Amino acid sequence: MATAAGTAKPAAAKSGGAAIDPLDFYAVRAALSDEERLVQESVARLVDTEVLPVIRQCFEQHRFPHELVPKLAELGLLGSSIQGYECAGLNGVSYGLICQELERGDSGIRSFVSVQSSLCMYPIYAFGSEEQKQRYLPRMARGELIGCFGLTEPHGGSDPANMKTHAKRRGGDWVLNGAKMWITNGSIAGLAVVWAMTPDGIRGFLVEKDSPGFAAREIEHKFSLRASVTAGLFFDNVVVPESHVLPGVVGLKGPLSCLTQARYGISWGVIGAAQACLRSLLDYSATRTLFGRPLAANQTIQVRLADMARHITTAQLLALQLGRMKDAGTLQPAHVSLAKWNNCRMALDIARDCRDMLGGAGISAEYPPIRHMLNLESVITYEGTETIHQLTIGRELTGINAF
Ligand code: TGC
Ligand code: FAD
């Protein structure tokens, strides 16, 4: 097909127009407001200068780069959507862009920010008393207090309605018993937002780390999200005062509405991981010479790269529309399920395909695809597995609950 196989030309020269950015094929950046673009550029700079230089080593050493927390806080990335309480008060699209840039670095860094912002600060902001908000939110925005979110239990995370962790009243206090599993930030958190069954239904408890009877143990030997902390939480007759119970919500919709916030961020975040993989493949395939020509000069390689650009572009447009719906107040959980499913699947498929096109080098940490690929195996599982989101959309379409 190509007559000049192996001769790389600037894209603009071939199309006769301005060069198209391979990572922003439909110029989504041009559809952003000045403020949104500024947010994206600031986070991109942070990722380039602070995350990328250390992340490979962190992943290899199974270490969360704790030293980055003050830098994330300084830029206003913790609880960025919250108004007041020392938070940045940014819109939903900006939060999405923050997640996208952070996950271009590593899913573990985006996970940290997702959990702190959407799963801990959000429920305190949405369902907490004024006293709880004043007590926790400013410290969490400053990165001085790290939070975790305990919903999943060892016997099965997809069906949180069947939770065993429970709390019973004792005088003016509550007594909490049970266990949570796979909890991001669990063993580095000063505050755990814990969801437990009570005689009234599921309620949210704010458990401080030094509460007697509370323990957090890090889960080791992970092959995924190695630059993120994951832990089990254990509650043995932990006394929680009434002042530490979230007063504003009872029932599963409490934790599920937090998940809607975090899943929204993930839908954007994984685009960054896919972009990082495509970027590394564009560079590699241009310089790897096989059969006397660059790898990029082969038709099947170009088809695979083109397919990645197609899927990333679709995901970007989907995320932007989702963000505009969020900011307009028309977002529903099923909208988020479709984006979480589509975009995680897109990113994981791209990471796996990039890993393959790197050949043997693809298994080396020197190239980012395998790190992103291994991370994305978690990202497609947590915050609702692919099946959970498919069934959520199926229920929306048919009106029949197949769970
Ligand atoms: P269902 O009857 O559907 O709903 C119960 C109540 O909740 C409401 N609701 C939602 N509200 C807000 N957002 C959502 N996404 C909601 N989904 C449902 C619903 O309207 C109802 O309200 P009401 O007023 O009628 O009581 O509940 P179900 O038991 O049938 O379950 C539905 C299902 C399966 C979708 C749900 O259980 C589910 O999403 N399961 C997956 C669990 C999950 O995603 N866990 C994630 C744990 S956290 C995590 O993974 C963090 S990773 C963090 C990181 O490192 O980034
Ligand atoms: P299960 O629920 O046991 O599911 C097993 C399999 O069954 C899956 O393939 C699932 O899709 C499938 N399945 C389930 N129901 C059906 C059905 N009706 N029909 C067909 N198939 C079905 N949780 C938190 O609460 N807080 C956190 O901070 C957190 N962080 C995490 C970090 C990491 C790195 C990981 C891996 C997980 C984290 N999780 C967290 C837990 C995560 O949300 C759960 O792993 C996830 O919800 C799935 O639950 P499970 O692992 O118990 O799998």
Side-chain angles (χ1 to χ4, degrees):
M1 182 162 68
T3 50
T7 324
K9 287 186 195 165
K14 287 181 225 153
S15 62
I20 292 176
D21 180 348
L23 304 186
D24 188 13
F25 213 81
Y26 270 27
V28 167
R29 273 167 67 79
L32 301 176
S33 70
D34 289 346
E35 182 181 77
E36 289 161 354
R37 254 195 305 275
L38 190 66
V39 169
Q40 181 172 22
E41 283 162 12
S42 315
V43 185
R45 249 193 318 277
L46 178 87
V47 169
D48 289 340
T49 57
E50 305 284 350
V51 177
L52 292 178
V54 302
I55 199 63
R56 171 183 159 187
Q57 200 181 45
C58 287
F59 190 89
E60 285 175 17
Q61 294 174 346
H62 210 316
R63 182 181 82 81
F64 170 67
H66 213 120
E67 64 278 10
L68 293 183
V69 174
K71 292 171 183 167
L72 297 169
E74 202 181 321
L75 217 51
L77 308 188
L78 306 180
S80 62
S81 306
I82 290 175
Q83 300 284 345
Y85 306 97
E86 300 184 28
C87 298
L90 299 173
N91 70 1
V93 169
S94 297
Y95 175 50
L97 291 163
I98 290 169
C99 291
Q100 181 181 304
E101 290 306 321
L102 291 176
E103 199 147 355
R104 182 170 63 78
D106 191 84
S107 303
I109 310 299
R110 196 271 308 139
S111 268
F112 174 83
V113 170
S114 287
V115 169
Q116 182 82 348
S117 303
S118 291
L119 296 183
C120 294
M121 296 175 75
Y122 171 80
I124 294 170
Y125 181 67
F127 310 126
S129 66
E130 190 52 37
E131 191 201 335
Q132 290 167 346
K133 292 179 204 182
Q134 298 286 356
R135 181 179 166 91
Y136 295 118
L137 293 178
R139 279 195 289 150
M140 296 182 90
R142 294 197 294 268
E144 293 165 8
L145 178 68
I146 292 174
C148 69
F149 175 91
L151 179 65
T152 303
E153 301 194 349
H155 62 273
S158 296
D159 182 17
N162 181 31
M163 83 172 48
K164 311 287 184 223
T165 299
H166 58 273
K168 290 186 178 147
R169 279 187 194 277
R170 195 175 69 190
D173 296 329
W174 292 82
V175 180
L176 187 61
N177 278 288
K180 299 288 177 180
M181 185 66 178
W182 300 114
I183 307 304
T184 301
N185 297 348
S187 53
I188 57 168
L191 180 71
V193 177
V194 180
W195 300 93
M197 190 60 80
T198 75
D200 316 324
I202 292 170
R203 300 199 64 180
F205 294 81
L206 304 176
V207 180
E208 297 192 358
K209 82 160 187 242
D210 47 10
S211 306
F214 173 46
R217 279 183 219 115
E218 184 166 2
I219 298 171
E220 295 175 341
H221 312 299
K222 287 183 301 170
F223 283 111
S224 176
L225 286 181
R226 289 173 59 83
S228 165
V229 171
T230 316
L233 308 182
F234 305 91
F235 310 93
D236 180 10
N237 288 313
V238 177
V239 176
V240 184
E242 180 69 40
S243 61
H244 284 51
V245 182
L246 294 174
V249 73
V250 177
L252 193 57
K253 67 175 180 291
L256 290 185
S257 63
C258 305
L259 296 185
T260 295
Q261 309 302 315
R263 291 165 175 173
Y264 165 80
I266 290 171
S267 304
W268 282 85
V270 291
I271 295 169
Q275 287 174 319
C277 292
L278 176 56
R279 175 75 270 158
S280 76
L281 241 294
L282 289 171
D283 296 343
Y284 184 84
S285 62
T287 54
R288 179 82 171 167
T289 302
L290 296 164
F291 299 100
R293 56 186 183 173
L295 191 57
N298 291 287
Q299 289 187 356
T300 53
I301 296 292
Q302 288 200 7
V303 168
R304 288 161 82 180
L305 295 172
D307 212 37
M308 291 181 192
R310 173 169 72 96
H311 284 295
I312 290 175
T313 303
T314 309
Q316 285 172 311
L317 294 172
L318 201 149
L320 184 63
Q321 174 63 4
L322 193 74
R324 296 292 177 228
M325 290 166 87
K326 187 174 200 301
D327 288 330
T330 57
L331 187 81
Q332 294 183 39
H335 293 133
V336 181
S337 280
L338 190 136
K340 203 266 179 184
W341 165 26
N342 182 77
N343 291 11
C344 287
R345 170 53 58 189
M346 168 288 293
L348 180 57
D349 287 349
I350 284 178
R352 286 175 178 166
D353 206 24
C354 286
R355 208 289 316 144
D356 176 73
M357 282 190 276
L358 284 161
I363 69 152
S364 166
E366 198 177 324
Y367 296 91
I370 191 150
R371 176 169 52 80
H372 285 296
M373 184 193 97
L374 291 168
N375 285 340
L376 289 163
E377 294 289 350
S378 282
V379 180
I380 204 168
T381 293
Y382 66 33
E383 297 277 3
T385 65
E386 189 168 61
T387 304
I388 290 299
H389 293 294
Q390 290 164 335
L391 294 179
T392 297
I393 295 161
R395 181 168 70 174
E396 186 67 31
L397 295 177
T398 63
I400 301 169
N401 187 350
F403 287 112

